[in-house]
Amino acid sequence: MCLYGIYKNVNIINPDQNRSVVPVDACIADEIKFLNDNSVITLASCCGHGRAGQIHTWSNAYGEWKGHHQPPIVLIREDSIHLAEDLGYRPYPYYYAEGEHDRVWNLLLKTGCITMEDCRKWHKVNKVPFKRDLGLLAESKRSASI
Ligand SMILES: [Zn+2]
Ligand SMILES: [Zn+2]
């Protein structure tokens, strides 16, 4: 990554969203923009923040959970999977905690922060201090992560 709490605004095309611009983890913002520019409807995304593969525990209304942190990923709508495949991605279904699928698919991203080393590199290349929660970065600051 980028560490937690560093974003860039991206224009999204999802007609069900009440906003057309959303903050996205900075190091994957260009790729999320690329997907939207190519008509892929994106939902939530996360760059992984350098923790892919590590174990974490959490709880929600459905119980106590233990699992692996995800690599850089975005959820897309089912009607976008063929477009995503044409762009070279291999989407797979997303299941909610209660076992429902609801036409949402995972897309593994090509950019983002798999290891903490990736985070460090991204901050260095983009001249962003290696600190969390810097908030929204200026639009003009182009990511070199793609
Ligand atoms: Zn990142
Ligand atoms: Zn994130």
Side-chain angles (χ1 to χ4, degrees):
M1 80 175 172
C2 51
L3 298 164
Y4 279 103
I6 304 172
Y7 309 103
K8 280 189 192 176
N9 275 332
V10 174
N11 288 306
I12 54 154
I13 57 169
N14 186 355
D16 298 331
Q17 257 282 7
N18 52 13
R19 301 177 291 179
S20 60
V21 177
V22 298
V24 171
D25 286 338
C27 68
I28 57 171
D30 288 350
E31 190 173 3
I32 301 300
K33 179 183 184 313
F34 167 81
L35 289 167
N36 279 275
D37 287 351
N38 282 278
S39 308
V40 173
I41 294 174
T42 60
L43 308 170
S45 65
C46 188
C47 82
H49 308 289
R51 299 212 156 85
Q54 296 178 19
I55 301 287
H56 69 131
T57 53
W58 71 100
S59 59
N60 61 19
Y62 300 97
E64 301 277 318
W65 301 80
K66 199 169 193 180
H68 294 100
H69 278 288
Q70 297 262 47
I73 204 156
V74 62
L75 299 178
I76 64 168
R77 253 173 42 173
E78 187 169 65
D79 49 5
S80 294
I81 63 181
H82 292 300
L83 281 170
E85 283 169 350
D86 287 346
L87 295 169
Y89 293 91
R90 301 177 70 200
Y92 62 96
Y94 176 84
Y95 284 84
Y96 291 92
E98 70 272 34
E100 290 294 316
H101 171 39
D102 201 26
R103 299 186 299 279
V104 174
W105 287 62
N106 284 293
L107 208 70
L108 290 171
L109 295 170
K110 297 170 183 180
T111 54
C113 306
I114 291 179
T115 63
M116 211 35 95
E117 195 46 44
D118 291 338
C119 294
R120 230 170 249 121
K121 205 163 36 175
W122 185 89
H123 278 259
K124 198 172 172 202
V125 168
N126 290 277
K127 298 184 174 61
V128 174
F130 195 60
K131 286 187 202 153
R132 316 175 35 144
D133 301 320
L134 296 175
L136 208 55
L137 297 182
E139 294 289 317
S140 56
K141 193 150 228 160
R142 292 281 304 168
S143 167
S145 62
I146 280 187

